[in-house]
Amino acid sequence: MRKKPYGCLTLPGLAAGLLTVLVVSLTGILRGGTLFSPGSLNAQAGTLLGGVTSHAEIGGRCSACHSFFWQSSRMADRCVTCHMDVASQLNDPTSLHGVQYQENSNLTCRICHPDHRGLSASLTDMSMVHINHETFGYSLNAHQQQVDGTPFACKTCHVAGYTAFDQIICFTCHQQINPDFMFSHQQAYGQDCLACHDGIDTYGSDFDHDTTAFQLVGKHNQLACVDCHPTARSIADLKATPQDCYSCHAGDDAHQGEFGAGCATCHTPDGWLPASFDHALTRFPLTGAHTQIECTQCHNTLTFAGLSLVCSSCHTDPAIHAGLFAGMTCDQCHSTSAWAPASFNLNHPAQCDDENCINHEEASCRDCHPDSLSTATCLKCHSSNNPDDDHGDDD
Amino acid sequence: MVLLHTSWKFNGLAGVTTLFTMIIVISGFIGRYIYTRIPRTLDGIEVTNITGQAQAAVLVRSRQMLAIWHAIHIPIGITLFSAAIIHIGAALIYATLLR
C-alpha cells in the first residue's frame, strides 16, 4: 500500500498558527505596537511636547508618529504636530531647518532624526544629508582637516548640538596652531571670530590686502592688522577704516600739521625719510649748494613754513667781511653755488690806475685779503707791499 | 541569512520569528536523520517488503520517532510562518510603505 506523505495542514499545525495570531493580536491590544518596534525609542527627556518629554513615553502608540499608507497625512506632518517650533522654522530661511527644507523639499524629518536606535542613541544623524554650510554664512572650505590630520565631524565644532556653536571652539583649536598669535589676536579683536572670518579665509591667513583699495607697500607691509584696525570688530568696521594718511599718522606728524594732511606729497610708505619735497614749489626754490644739504640744516627747529628768505637768517656775516657790508645782502656778491668766487661789483677802494695792473682782475678777494677785507697784502704775488717797487719781480 | 537580516537585534516579533527560525532549522536537522532511517524508493515511497525481524523492529521505531518529530516540527513551522507573515506585513506598513 502506498502511504501518503505527511502534510503541513495538520490539526496541531493549524492550531499553532491560530495560537500565534491570537498571541500577537492580544499582545498588540495589551501593549500596543511594541511587538513590531525595531528598537527602543529615545528616552532622553527634553521639553514637554505633546504631553511627553521623550519619544520613549509614546511607547507602543505607533500611530503617534506613523501614518498608514492609505492615510493622507505623513510622518513629517505628525512630527510637527508636537514640534511646532520646527514647523515655523521650515518657513524661516535663516534657520537650519528652513535652509535645508528650501534647498530640498523632499527632505523629511526622519532622514536627519532617526529613532528606534536605543534609549540613549542620538536623535540626530546628518550623515545622510549634504549640508551646504556656506548657506549659514560660514564655509567649511578651510576646515577639512583638524590639527592632527583627522577630518572634521559636525560635533567637532557643534558640541552642544547642530544648531549651536560656541566660538570658544575657534580659540581652542587655533591656539594649537599658533598660540602667541591667537592670544594677541584675541586680545586685539575679542572673541567674536565670525564677525570677520567666514571660513574661506577672506579675512584669514591667506587674506591679500592688495585686493583692497589700500595696497600694503613699504613699511605698511610690516604692520600687524591691529596697528591700522585697532577698533574694528567686524568686516564692515575693517572696510570702513579711513585710507588717508593723517587718520593714522596725525600723532606722529613731525610738522605738527603745518603741511596739512597730504603726507604723500613728500613722503612714501617706504619711510618718512628721505622725503621728496619739491622745494621749487615754495617761495624759496633750491639752487646751487642749497640742493645738497639736509632739510634740517635750514629747518633745524622742524619749522617748515614761514621761514625768512633773507640769507642772514641762516648765514651769519663772516669775520673776513670785517663789517664792511652792513646793509647789503649776500646775493649782491655771492651766488648759491659757493661763497667763492664772489663777484664784487662795487668800486674797489684801492683802484690801481696803472695801466700795467690789468692782472688784478684775475685775483680773488682772498689773494689780497687772506684774513680780513679790512687789511690787504700784496705778498702773495709781489715781493713787497710797496706799490712803487719794481713790478718786474712779479711772477 | 536570517541572522544577517536581523542586524543582530532580536526584540519584538522579529526576534520571536528569528528564534523560531533557529528552532526549526535545528528540528529540521534532527528530522532529516530520522527520515533517512526509513527505507524508501526513489519516489520517496516507503519500502514495505522488509525481511528480517531486526530490520522490522528498527523500521517500527523509526516510524514512531518520525511521527513524534512531525507532530512537534509542524506546529513550530506553522508558528514560524505565521509570525513571519505578520512580521513582513508590519514591515511593509511601518517601513517599506512609510511616508
Side-chain angles (χ1 to χ4, degrees):
Chain A
M1 179 180 171
R2 183 169 173 163
K3 296 197 75 173
K4 184 181 176 182
Y6 292 108
C8 293
L9 297 178
T10 60
L11 184 61
L14 292 171
L18 286 172
L19 183 63
T20 303
V21 173
L22 185 64
V23 169
V24 171
S25 301
L26 282 173
T27 307
I29 292 170
L30 296 175
R31 298 192 58 190
T34 51
L35 201 57
F36 307 112
S37 174
S40 300
L41 290 165
N42 184 281
Q44 297 175 50
T47 309
L48 181 66
L49 295 173
V52 297
T53 58
S54 72
H55 286 173
E57 292 179 33
I58 298 173
R61 287 195 291 127
C62 306
S63 60
C65 301
H66 293 275
S67 60
F68 297 106
F69 58 89
W70 59 80
Q71 293 176 318
S72 59
S73 64
R74 301 185 174 194
M75 176 185 264
D77 301 324
R78 303 196 178 196
C79 294
V80 296
T81 301
C82 293
H83 297 276
M84 290 182 287
D85 55 330
V86 178
S88 60
Q89 290 172 15
L90 292 176
N91 297 317
D92 179 6
T94 63
S95 70
L96 173 63
H97 287 123
V99 168
Q100 293 305 307
Y101 187 68
Q102 292 189 10
E103 282 193 351
N104 183 4
S105 59
N106 292 324
L107 276 181
T108 56
C109 307
R110 69 175 186 272
I111 293 178
C112 298
H113 303 290
D115 208 335
H116 290 291
R117 303 196 305 170
L119 297 173
S120 60
S122 173
L123 273 176
T124 303
D125 180 2
M126 300 180 74
S127 60
M128 299 295 287
V129 182
H130 170 69
I131 299 294
N132 182 8
H133 212 278
E134 289 184 35
T135 310
F136 308 111
Y138 194 86
S139 168
L140 297 182
N141 186 47
H143 285 83
Q144 301 297 317
Q145 288 186 331
Q146 300 184 64
V147 178
D148 59 4
T150 58
F152 272 92
C154 302
K155 287 190 175 179
T156 307
C157 301
H158 300 283
V159 178
Y162 292 99
T163 57
F165 177 65
D166 187 349
Q167 297 187 62
I168 193 66
I169 295 290
C170 305
F171 184 79
T172 303
C173 287
H174 282 268
Q175 71 169 349
Q176 298 175 41
I177 303 172
N178 192 335
D180 294 336
F181 170 78
M182 277 307 296
F183 182 76
S184 61
H185 194 62
Q186 197 175 47
Q187 288 287 314
Y189 291 111
Q191 298 181 349
D192 189 6
C193 310
L194 299 182
C196 296
H197 297 287
D198 54 9
I200 53 176
D201 276 0
T202 300
Y203 292 92
S205 59
D206 293 337
F207 172 60
D208 182 4
H209 208 287
D210 291 346
T211 60
T212 70
F214 192 90
Q215 298 183 355
L216 295 185
V217 293
K219 291 197 171 182
H220 286 158
N221 207 18
Q222 302 167 10
L223 298 173
C225 307
V226 71
D227 292 333
C228 299
H229 305 287
T231 60
R233 290 295 179 272
S234 67
I235 291 178
D237 291 344
L238 291 169
K239 288 182 175 178
T241 302
Q243 298 182 21
D244 64 287
C245 310
Y246 223 64
S247 294
C248 288
H249 294 293
D252 54 352
D253 179 14
H255 317 298
Q256 299 178 338
E258 281 187 85
F259 293 155
C263 308
T265 305
C266 306
H267 302 284
T268 69
D270 292 326
W272 293 117
L273 296 174
S276 59
F277 179 61
D278 185 3
H279 222 283
L281 299 175
T282 71
R283 297 173 299 136
F284 192 82
L286 297 183
T287 58
H290 285 156
T291 63
Q292 307 300 317
I293 60 176
E294 294 294 328
C295 306
T296 51
Q297 286 188 255
C298 298
H299 303 282
N300 55 353
T301 62
L302 295 180
T303 301
F304 293 87
L307 293 185
S308 172
L309 303 182
V310 178
C311 305
S312 58
S313 65
C314 290
H315 302 288
T316 57
D317 193 20
I320 192 173
H321 282 177
L324 296 173
F325 304 114
M328 294 177 62
T329 59
C330 304
D331 60 353
Q332 288 182 263
C333 300
H334 301 284
S335 71
T336 57
S337 299
W339 291 114
S343 56
F344 186 71
N345 296 319
L346 303 177
N347 291 328
H348 197 279
Q351 290 289 324
C352 181
D353 297 333
D354 194 319
E355 61 181 0
N356 295 321
C357 290
I358 55 174
N359 288 337
H360 284 166
E361 294 179 359
E362 301 294 329
S364 70
C365 301
R366 297 266 180 174
D367 288 340
C368 303
H369 309 288
D371 299 318
S372 171
L373 296 181
S374 62
T375 60
T377 180
C378 305
L379 296 177
K380 182 171 183 182
C381 302
H382 303 285
S383 57
S384 169
N385 277 328
N386 186 354
D388 294 332
D389 284 353
D390 188 1
H391 286 179
D393 293 335
D394 291 355
D395 293 339
Chain B
M1 286 183 67
V2 172
L3 285 173
L4 290 175
H5 175 67
T6 62
S7 301
W8 308 106
K9 290 186 288 189
F10 305 101
N11 55 304
L13 182 63
V16 173
T17 307
T18 306
L19 175 64
F20 276 99
T21 303
M22 294 169 69
I23 292 172
I24 210 72
V25 167
I26 295 169
S27 174
F29 271 105
I30 295 170
R32 177 238 182 274
Y33 287 104
I34 298 172
Y35 184 82
T36 55
R37 288 169 65 92
I38 301 170
R40 297 172 187 277
T41 65
L42 289 176
D43 296 331
I45 306 300
E46 288 183 19
V47 177
T48 56
N49 53 343
I50 297 296
T51 57
Q53 191 174 359
Q55 283 184 322
V58 170
L59 179 60
V60 170
R61 204 161 46 247
S62 297
R63 281 177 177 165
Q64 290 174 340
M65 289 177 64
L66 187 62
I68 295 169
W69 171 83
H70 204 260
I72 297 171
H73 185 81
I74 291 298
I76 295 174
I78 295 296
T79 301
L80 166 64
F81 293 145
S82 303
I85 289 168
I86 298 170
H87 164 68
I88 291 168
L92 284 172
I93 291 172
Y94 290 118
T96 308
L97 300 176
L98 178 65
R99 296 188 307 157

